[in-house]
Amino acid sequence: MYTVGITGGIGCGKSVVAHLFRILGIPVYDADQEAKKLYDHDPMLKALIIANFGPEVYPNHRFHPKALSEIVFRDPQKLKLLNEIIHPRVIAHSREWIKQQTSPYAVKEAALLIESGSYQELDTLIVVNSPIKMRIARVMQRDHISRDAVEARIKQQMPEPEKAKFAQHIIENNECMLLIPQVLALHELFLRQSTSTL
């Protein structure tokens, strides 16, 4: 199975790019969504989260992602601890998911592919770039939070120029370059590369 990673900073448009691959019939592993499922359905993980971040993360016994975000994005040590807890579980889950796919190639979308080291298990990596002003505006609208809150989250992440150093492919999501032609070109490339690895 030829594997492709998609990553980028908060608000860059990773999910939009991943959706375009889905439209092309390519399965996509959404690490953030799968992590949310694990928070609710993995009893050991749930116990660890409550022990380290408090019961307010599980009001009415259901995972509340916003409550956890508010805790970890205020405290770099808490964010580091969360990543140490969740990343190994998501990586193991994604490995099993990839084994089950039968398409020419599969995509894994994750915000922290590079930081977690899991990009090393993939054949190629796409970094989605977007201007900082656009990223801030998107996240403010999407999450209904202040500019200061968005900027605090961005400061916790690896800068986009650093991410780009790990990429074999860059997709520009800047409202000047069209996304669809960029994705289509990569899709054709990955189909060829997946055939050549057989």
Side-chain angles (χ1 to χ4, degrees):
M1 171 63 64
Y2 190 80
T3 52
V4 177
I6 297 177
T7 194
I10 186 170
C12 70
K14 295 182 299 296
S15 296
V16 174
V17 171
H19 182 64
L20 292 173
F21 280 101
R22 282 195 189 94
I23 290 171
L24 292 168
I26 301 303
V28 176
Y29 183 90
D30 183 332
D32 289 344
Q33 288 302 315
E34 295 302 327
K36 287 173 186 174
K37 293 177 189 175
L38 290 173
Y39 282 122
D40 265 325
H41 301 298
D42 181 332
M44 187 177 296
L45 176 61
K46 186 174 180 179
L48 279 169
I49 296 298
I50 290 172
N52 285 283
F53 303 100
E56 63 268 25
V57 176
Y58 283 90
N60 303 315
H61 306 288
R62 296 288 295 174
F63 175 61
H64 193 277
K66 190 173 181 182
L68 183 58
S69 293
E70 288 174 355
I71 293 169
V72 300
F73 284 114
R74 288 197 309 259
D75 185 338
Q77 289 306 311
K78 290 281 189 182
L79 180 59
K80 182 174 181 289
L81 176 60
L82 174 64
N83 289 336
E84 288 170 354
I85 292 170
I86 190 65
H87 283 161
R89 286 169 170 79
V90 175
I91 290 169
H93 188 264
S94 69
R95 285 180 190 139
E96 291 305 310
W97 178 89
I98 287 169
K99 288 178 185 176
Q100 296 168 16
Q101 305 312 307
T102 57
S103 56
Y105 70 93
V107 170
K108 180 179 179 180
E109 176 206 347
L112 301 178
L113 271 180
I114 297 166
E115 294 87 335
S116 68
S118 60
Y119 77 97
Q120 296 173 335
E121 298 183 4
L122 305 172
D123 292 303
T124 194
L125 180 65
I126 300 168
V127 168
V128 183
N129 275 344
S130 192
I132 191 73
K133 287 183 180 179
M134 287 184 183
R135 293 171 59 198
I136 291 170
R138 286 175 191 144
V139 179
M140 287 175 66
Q141 183 176 23
R142 182 190 72 194
D143 295 351
H144 309 290
I145 58 176
S146 68
R147 175 179 295 274
D148 287 346
V150 179
E151 289 176 346
R153 293 185 184 187
I154 288 172
K155 285 178 183 175
Q156 299 276 9
Q157 294 187 337
M158 180 185 291
E160 283 196 342
E162 287 298 309
K163 284 183 183 286
K165 293 176 183 177
F166 292 84
Q168 287 75 48
H169 311 283
I170 303 288
I171 287 182
E172 297 293 348
N173 184 18
N174 54 19
E175 297 181 1
C176 294
M177 295 178 67
L178 296 175
L179 277 180
I180 292 175
Q182 294 180 76
V183 171
L184 283 173
L186 288 175
H187 174 63
E188 294 300 324
L189 173 64
F190 299 152
L191 287 175
R192 292 195 301 272
Q193 290 180 330
S194 65
T195 303
S196 68
T197 58
L198 294 176

